[in-house]
Amino acid sequence: MLQPTALSYLVLVIFIAFINSIWIIKAESNFDWKPDINGTNDYSCNLDYCTGNQFEVNRCCACAHIASNVPEFSPLHIEIINNKGESVVILNKKDTGAVNVSITHSNGWLRHFPSNLCDFKSELKSIDFSYNHIKVWANLSCLYMLDSLKLTGNRLTTVSNSTFIGLYSLRSVDLSFNEIRTIDLHMLSDQSIHLFNIDLSNNLMKTLDASNMIIQDKFFCKIDFSHNEIQGLTSKVGTLLENEVHQNGGDILLRNMREEFVFKEWLSDFADAIEDYQTIFSNFRGTYDIKNSKVHCDCRVGRFLKYCPNDFYRIYKSKDNEFICGSPEKLVNISVFGIPLYDDVFDEMICEVWDHCPRKCKCVEQPRRERLL
Ligand SMILES: *[C@@H]1O[C@H](CO)[C@@H](O)[C@H](O)[C@H]1NC(C)=O
Ligand SMILES: *[C@@H]1O[C@H](CO)[C@@H](O)[C@H](O)[C@H]1NC(C)=O
Ligand SMILES: *[C@@H]1O[C@H](CO)[C@@H](O)[C@H](O)[C@H]1NC(C)=O
Ligand SMILES: *[C@@H]1O[C@H](CO)[C@@H](O)[C@H](O)[C@H]1NC(C)=O
Ligand SMILES: CC(=O)N[C@H]1CO[C@H](CO)[C@@H](O)[C@@H]1O
């Protein structure tokens, strides 16, 4: 009686080893867009629809299938417990044992996240607290199964670089119509973060750092910063030139900005050589959409156009996008895409230069003709 049992055990072991090796090969060479949490994440992707190289397949699976595969969730309810807007999630008897739960409580009086959210950490897939009065973040890092987080129309003022830590499964976040003024450097850089869609439109941001858009070894689908007051990009940590950045970027929306964009700080002293421009822009795999925003068209835009025109068009000219100058005077309302690259109007893309400029002179750099005047 012993022998057949031992034999079947051996067969089983071989079979498991075989299955594992298939899984490993598949994960390495083909399909790794989904964060795999304890093997429980089962979002699928149609590989007939998503084709191309590994990067393209990953991006397509992440972006095209986002939130499209979510089945019916059991809804849980919120009970407000006092007039300070504090609340708890309540569990009905019939929901006990549900695998997928969601919580929706919109147009309400929440001022804080419910205090017992972590009790549902292994089932909670979706939160919608749109149009409440939430001002401060709670530590959400326990919610490792959460797929989507909607907080549009609240009163949040910041996003820190620890806000999304531990949210391994989170793919989409809506923070539009809050009062966000600042986001930390490296908002998305932590190993545990795999966010694909973020809506930060209609907030009060004035600056934006490159470390939130160009992220080592990661990509995203779309981050929407439209309808803010962003006047320029910064590059405080200088990630762009120091490290080689792979497979980074995504589509960045900067539409309808109230102020004119200035590229100065972003492309200042550390990037003037042709190679610097080429490194920055050839590495970037996404697009910028700046429709209805205006740009200060100085020598940095001039250099960009001169040094890497193909990257410039690839990055800025997605679909019906525009690139309109708001200044200097002679370029006001001029569309960069509407003019051939050899047109003399690009001579107006200049910057004042102070170094080595003789006293009482005004020196300007004019990249198009590579000269100082
Ligand atoms: C839970 O959700 C996953 C995907 O999010 C789905 O594949 C699974 O069938 C759901 N389970 C139940 C019991 O609804
Ligand atoms: C959030 O909670 C986790 C686990 O309790 C802890 O490790 C982490 O430091 C907390 N994060 C913040 C920003 O307090
Ligand atoms: C998080 O943000 C703070 C403040 O902006 C910054 O000092 C810190 O370096 C950031 N952490 C990481 C890991 O980038
Ligand atoms: C530029 O366009 C805006 C509308 O977008 C208009 O109000 C403004 O007068 C125009 N300025 C010039 C100098 O053409
Ligand atoms: C093996 C493994 O990845 N285990 C993880 C399952 O999820 C919990 C919650 O995030 C982690 O703490 C484990 O490390």
Side-chain angles (χ1 to χ4, degrees):
M1 290 309 278
L2 253 176
Q3 252 178 348
T5 318
L7 187 65
S8 53
Y9 181 69
L10 183 67
V11 169
L12 185 67
V13 167
I14 291 170
F15 182 67
I16 287 173
F18 177 66
I19 295 273
N20 269 338
S21 64
I22 291 178
W23 187 81
I24 288 163
I25 289 164
K26 208 178 158 195
E28 274 178 2
S29 63
N30 190 17
F31 193 57
D32 56 2
W33 69 274
K34 54 180 177 177
D36 193 357
I37 313 305
N38 296 341
T40 54
N41 201 337
D42 41 19
Y43 306 112
S44 63
C45 177
N46 182 346
L47 288 175
D48 295 331
Y49 176 73
C50 291
T51 55
N53 63 33
Q54 189 197 341
F55 179 76
E56 289 157 354
V57 169
N58 285 341
R59 171 167 277 172
C60 170
C61 286
C63 302
H65 283 255
I66 194 144
S68 64
N69 213 34
V70 177
E72 283 288 297
F73 295 141
S74 310
L76 298 184
H77 297 281
I78 295 281
E79 189 174 87
I80 308 270
I81 54 173
N82 61 25
N83 62 6
K84 292 185 202 145
E86 288 172 354
S87 62
V88 289
V89 181
I90 45 180
L91 183 65
N92 295 328
K93 262 216 176 98
K94 68 175 174 54
D95 298 322
T96 319
V99 184
N100 300 317
V101 304
S102 65
I103 306 176
T104 300
H105 185 90
S106 43
N107 297 292
W109 293 98
L110 294 182
R111 283 167 193 261
H112 305 270
F113 286 86
S115 56
N116 61 341
L117 277 179
C118 287
D119 294 352
F120 304 90
K121 62 184 177 188
S122 44
E123 304 92 32
L124 189 53
K125 297 271 176 84
S126 156
I127 290 180
D128 180 352
F129 292 154
S130 306
Y131 303 102
N132 278 279
H133 300 267
I134 299 173
K135 250 185 171 166
V136 283
W137 288 96
N139 183 342
L140 302 176
S141 69
C142 58
L143 301 176
Y144 68 97
M145 292 304 282
L146 191 67
D147 177 69
S148 117
L149 177 60
K150 281 193 195 152
L151 294 169
T152 187
N154 277 278
R155 297 166 65 187
L156 294 162
T157 58
T158 61
V159 183
S160 103
N161 52 25
S162 57
T163 302
F164 301 120
I165 290 182
L167 299 170
Y168 293 86
S169 309
L170 190 62
R171 297 187 296 165
S172 117
V173 173
D174 186 352
L175 294 169
S176 58
F177 294 97
N178 274 270
E179 294 164 17
I180 294 167
R181 287 170 195 275
T182 55
I183 56 179
D184 269 354
L185 306 178
H186 291 299
M187 170 180 68
L188 304 175
S189 301
D190 191 77
Q191 288 288 328
S192 61
I193 301 173
H194 311 271
L195 259 166
F196 297 132
N197 272 305
I198 307 173
D199 191 345
L200 276 158
S201 64
N202 294 283
N203 277 288
L204 304 172
M205 294 172 60
K206 289 193 192 304
T207 62
L208 178 58
D209 194 81
S211 69
N212 285 316
M213 298 181 292
I214 309 220
I215 303 147
Q216 183 105 26
D217 295 322
K218 266 188 204 175
F219 67 85
F220 50 81
C221 305
K222 187 168 98 180
I223 307 186
D224 193 345
F225 294 108
S226 301
H227 293 275
N228 273 280
E229 294 165 23
I230 298 167
Q231 295 164 36
L233 305 182
T234 57
S235 184
K236 291 192 177 140
V237 274
T239 15
L240 299 171
L241 297 176
E242 279 164 19
N243 310 312
E244 221 188 305
V245 178
H246 297 288
Q247 300 194 343
N248 62 73
D251 298 332
I252 294 170
L253 274 62
L254 292 160
R255 293 179 164 195
N256 298 77
M257 232 34 86
R258 274 158 244 158
E259 305 284 335
E260 183 182 64
F261 272 121
V262 182
F263 281 10
K264 184 171 179 210
E265 230 182 310
W266 180 39
L267 292 178
S268 52
D269 310 330
F270 78 99
D272 13 58
I274 297 181
E275 300 78 44
D276 296 343
Y277 273 76
Q278 288 170 346
T279 311
I280 291 176
F281 297 110
S282 65
N283 269 336
F284 185 74
R285 305 284 290 266
T287 64
Y288 285 95
D289 180 344
I290 56 170
K291 209 173 180 185
N292 298 328
S293 298
K294 292 191 177 171
V295 180
H296 176 56
C297 291
D298 65 2
C299 69
R300 292 158 189 104
V301 176
R303 286 182 200 151
F304 191 171
L305 270 170
K306 183 169 173 78
Y307 298 157
C308 18
N310 294 339
D311 289 325
F312 185 90
Y313 284 98
R314 174 177 57 79
I315 292 170
Y316 285 96
K317 203 179 175 182
S318 59
K319 298 178 193 124
D320 60 342
N321 201 357
E322 272 298 354
F323 195 108
I324 309 274
C325 302
S327 60
E329 212 180 314
K330 288 194 177 146
L331 294 175
V332 173
N333 291 357
I334 297 265
S335 156
V336 173
F337 300 147
I339 302 170
L341 278 176
Y342 50 79
D343 197 286
D344 287 346
V345 76
F346 290 125
D347 284 349
E348 301 299 328
M349 295 184 172
I350 55 173
C351 297
E352 251 185 270
V353 181
W354 310 103
D355 276 5
H356 306 297
C357 186
R359 270 196 202 184
K360 296 190 184 164
C361 290
K362 185 180 171 187
C363 303
V364 297
E365 181 199 338
Q366 190 181 56
R368 192 170 96 97
R369 298 193 195 270
E370 294 198 46
R371 65 184 179 188
L372 293 175
L373 299 173

